[in-house]
Amino acid sequence: MVAGHYLMTMMMSFAKTARKGRWKMRRLKFAKGLLRPVISGDKKITLRRYKAEAHDFNVGDVILGIFEDGLSIPLLVTKDTVAKRFSELTEDEAIEDGFSDSQSAFEGVRKHYPHTAMFWFDYMAVIRFEVLKVEGIPVISYNSYDEGEKVR
């Protein structure tokens, strides 16, 4: 029922901002192959190079996960974003995000920012979320990455 409340709040927010000609839902992009683990609940954390205006989320925020696999999914933030240095990343956090250790996590995040120098003393964001669901069903829609036929 909590997800239903967030969905209603989100829809009311969209209605207000749509009348003003603005879109306020914040987004996180996910690489190809991450859709299935997010939907299944196996992936509930993402590590990003920290950017305050892009990664400061609070518990209860609803954000849009944009997946290169072709779907967009509303995600419910389950904890406030934690900003810390890459050197402070725990092994458990790295493993939770699907990496073998903190070094491979750092290299994995670095790979997504090829034109930006990244060092262990740079700040990263630890973002925790779950798929927004209504009565246990994930809320999903197609996005511009979709290459297949759309289902009605």
Side-chain angles (χ1 to χ4, degrees):
M1 195 49 127
V2 171
H5 166 75
Y6 284 111
L7 183 61
M8 184 59 78
T9 302
M10 181 177 69
M11 290 170 58
M12 288 171 33
S13 174
F14 291 156
K16 288 178 188 173
T17 56
R19 285 193 297 270
K20 296 177 184 176
R22 294 191 311 261
W23 176 265
K24 285 191 168 187
M25 185 173 238
R26 296 170 66 196
R27 302 164 183 227
L28 282 178
K29 292 182 182 177
F30 289 86
K32 198 165 191 82
L34 295 176
L35 178 64
R36 187 173 302 276
V38 168
I39 290 175
S40 70
D42 291 337
K43 180 175 176 60
K44 294 183 177 185
I45 183 174
T46 187
L47 308 174
R48 306 292 170 116
R49 184 166 196 262
Y50 181 69
K51 187 175 179 184
E53 59 275 10
H55 298 126
D56 282 332
F57 300 113
N58 297 306
V59 125
D61 286 353
V62 176
I63 59 178
L64 192 61
I66 306 292
F67 292 82
E68 288 184 16
D69 300 279
L71 296 176
S72 298
I73 303 174
L75 303 172
L76 178 65
V77 175
T78 57
K79 291 191 177 178
D80 292 349
T81 297
V82 174
K84 60 182 174 180
R85 296 183 189 280
F86 279 101
S87 61
E88 298 170 334
L89 178 66
T90 68
E91 297 298 310
D92 288 342
E93 289 168 328
I95 291 167
E96 217 179 328
D97 196 25
F99 296 99
S100 58
D101 56 31
S102 59
Q103 176 65 39
S104 64
F106 175 72
E107 294 302 326
V109 173
R110 180 190 250 176
K111 179 179 77 173
H112 291 285
Y113 300 92
H115 303 295
T116 305
M118 285 179 47
F119 304 97
W120 279 98
F121 55 80
D122 287 330
Y123 277 85
M124 62 171 298
V126 178
I127 303 165
R128 295 181 182 277
F129 60 88
E130 62 185 33
V131 174
L132 184 67
K133 297 178 181 179
V134 175
E135 295 184 1
I137 301 170
V139 180
I140 300 173
S141 67
Y142 284 95
N143 67 36
S144 62
Y145 291 112
D146 176 41
E147 296 176 9
E149 184 177 321
K150 294 190 185 222
V151 178
R152 292 181 184 194

